[in-house]
Amino acid sequence: MMKTIYLLNGPNLNLLGKRQPKIYGRETLEDVLRDCTALGQGLGLAVEGFQSNHEGAIIDKIHEAREKAAGIVINPGAFTHTSVAILDALNAFDGPVIEVHISNVHKRESFRHHSYVSLRAEGVIAGLGTEGYQAAIRRLATLLA
Ligand code: DQA
């Protein structure tokens, strides 16, 4: 049976492709999910996508992952820099976690340089554009093999 991985996206990422395209590119979240689903298929992973603008909804999804997912790729958006609660939820999840940022957060405002989620993540990808999601899935495939 194929393992399932969750591809979680936080606030404002529903606007991907429309929001600040110079920073985040022109690909939509639908495009990302389509490409990641195809990549996952080839690697023997079923990719389930989820996006929410609400911290609690993301936490609920991470709790659900405890039963349903082998690994998590997460772009927590701005919650990266603020949410101890998302860190705690990820700490309650046993599988590997890869953190993705589309932009190079280290080249941006200093408040984007700190990530709570990085304290938990096996790997952190920043600045590869939306290709970073695919790199994260490849890495999860290796870690889950
Ligand atoms: C982001 C970077 C965050 O600082 C920002 O708040 C986002 C997107 C990224 O993908 O580059 O919403 O996580």
Side-chain angles (χ1 to χ4, degrees):
M1 211 182 72
M2 276 223 243
K3 287 179 181 158
T4 297
I5 60 169
Y6 278 7
L7 177 55
L8 307 182
N9 279 278
N12 301 306
L13 289 159
N14 54 312
L15 296 180
L16 200 59
K18 303 176 201 124
R19 160 204 192 203
Q20 298 180 279
K22 283 205 177 107
I23 298 178
Y24 298 112
R26 295 248 169 232
E27 268 210 319
T28 66
L29 199 53
E30 259 182 27
D31 295 333
V32 168
L33 190 58
R34 186 202 54 225
D35 292 350
C36 287
T37 302
L39 175 67
Q41 286 264 310
L43 295 167
L45 297 172
V47 177
E48 183 177 323
F50 177 80
Q51 186 277 331
S52 178
N53 295 322
H54 305 278
E55 190 174 13
I58 295 165
I59 291 165
D60 287 345
K61 197 71 187 175
I62 296 168
H63 291 177
E64 184 188 287
R66 284 164 49 81
E67 309 299 327
K68 300 203 172 148
I72 294 177
V73 174
I74 184 166
N75 181 348
F79 291 147
T80 306
H81 320 297
T82 62
S83 182
V84 176
I86 288 178
L87 170 63
D88 285 351
L90 289 169
N91 278 333
F93 174 75
D94 286 335
V97 173
I98 307 290
E99 176 182 351
V100 172
H101 301 287
I102 298 163
S103 65
N104 180 359
V105 282
H106 301 291
K107 217 176 156 183
R108 300 180 66 193
E109 302 96 324
S110 58
F111 64 81
R112 296 185 203 277
H113 297 175
H114 177 263
S115 164
Y116 285 103
V117 171
S118 294
L119 292 167
R120 164 65 179 85
E122 269 65 37
V124 183
I125 294 165
L128 301 195
T130 49
E131 285 173 48
Y133 291 102
Q134 295 179 40
I137 286 172
R138 286 205 176 85
R139 183 64 185 155
L140 274 192
T142 302
L143 293 173
L144 292 170

